[in-house]
Amino acid sequence: MRSLTGNAIPEDPGQLASDLAARLRYHAIWDALLFVAPPVLGFVYIAGYLYRLTWMGPLALFTATAALIGVGFLAVALRYRRQVPSAAGASRLIDERAGAKDRFLTLATIDPSRWPASMVARLQMQAAGFLDRVELRRDFPYKIKRGFYRSLFGSFLGALLFHLLLPVAASTLFPLSAPERLRALA
């Protein structure tokens, strides 16, 4: 069966819920990547800048970059695991969009072997009547979350503060002798 937009409409209500759960997992991985990538890239930039100033060697740069990327992957994994929707959660969203009064949620949470086959078949038939009301691309599009913009802004602000405060820190940590100061002024 096809919808008006040409996309296949699953005939099984459980398949729609699993398709939505997969789509929401895809959204969650992008949310996690977009949230973690700006700070990791900002710290890698700062490490590269310190390398360019010869404040750190190539081995330190490689170690710092590898550690930052590793921490970034760990942060993505932890954030992703927290955001992964369950089948029941996806079914609840379908019920809200279609106005199905918990039919999809019931199908996702019951054990069909413990209930009469006629009741399960009737519930599936009723839920199938709501399938044409939900289109995954239209009803559940991916939207960039506010957390990405905050992360991007914070990373940019951190890199900017690094550049502004680096001369102050350098003069405090490595004070110049009088002849070096005269040479710098000349």
Side-chain angles (χ1 to χ4, degrees):
M1 179 187 302
R2 294 223 171 253
S3 70
L4 295 175
T5 60
N7 296 331
I9 298 174
E11 294 180 14
D12 179 23
Q15 182 63 40
L16 180 66
S18 65
D19 289 350
L20 177 59
R23 185 172 184 83
L24 294 177
R25 281 192 298 273
Y26 177 76
H27 290 188
I29 193 72
W30 273 109
D31 289 343
L33 282 170
L34 288 175
F35 183 77
V36 171
V40 168
L41 291 175
F43 282 121
V44 168
Y45 168 76
I46 288 172
Y49 191 78
L50 291 175
Y51 172 74
R52 202 175 87 203
L53 291 176
T54 65
W55 284 16
M56 70 175 17
L59 181 61
L61 174 68
F62 175 75
T63 305
T65 302
L68 288 168
I69 290 172
V71 167
F73 278 128
L74 180 64
V76 166
L78 293 175
R79 187 169 173 86
Y80 172 74
R81 288 190 71 204
R82 213 176 50 214
Q83 292 179 337
V84 171
S86 64
S91 298
R92 188 174 301 117
L93 289 173
I94 293 171
D95 282 329
E96 289 173 9
R97 293 281 185 200
K101 298 183 181 177
D102 293 338
R103 286 178 178 87
F104 287 92
L105 179 62
T106 304
L107 278 174
T109 55
I110 66 168
D111 181 12
S113 64
R114 302 185 85 198
W115 296 94
S118 61
M119 186 192 93
V120 173
R122 181 174 169 213
L123 185 60
Q124 284 180 334
M125 187 176 64
Q126 288 175 349
F130 292 101
L131 287 175
D132 60 345
R133 294 185 184 183
V134 177
E135 184 182 329
L136 295 182
R137 285 187 181 164
R138 178 195 67 210
D139 293 330
F140 302 100
Y142 180 72
K143 296 176 186 167
I144 295 177
K145 307 295 185 291
R146 237 185 259 159
F148 165 69
Y149 296 114
R150 290 178 183 156
S151 175
L152 185 64
F153 178 73
S155 300
F156 178 74
L157 187 64
L160 183 65
L161 284 174
F162 172 77
H163 280 290
L164 292 175
L165 297 178
L166 185 66
V168 174
S171 66
T172 305
L173 293 174
F174 308 110
L176 297 175
S177 64
E180 290 173 338
R181 274 186 275 165
L182 288 174
R183 240 180 283 148
L185 288 173

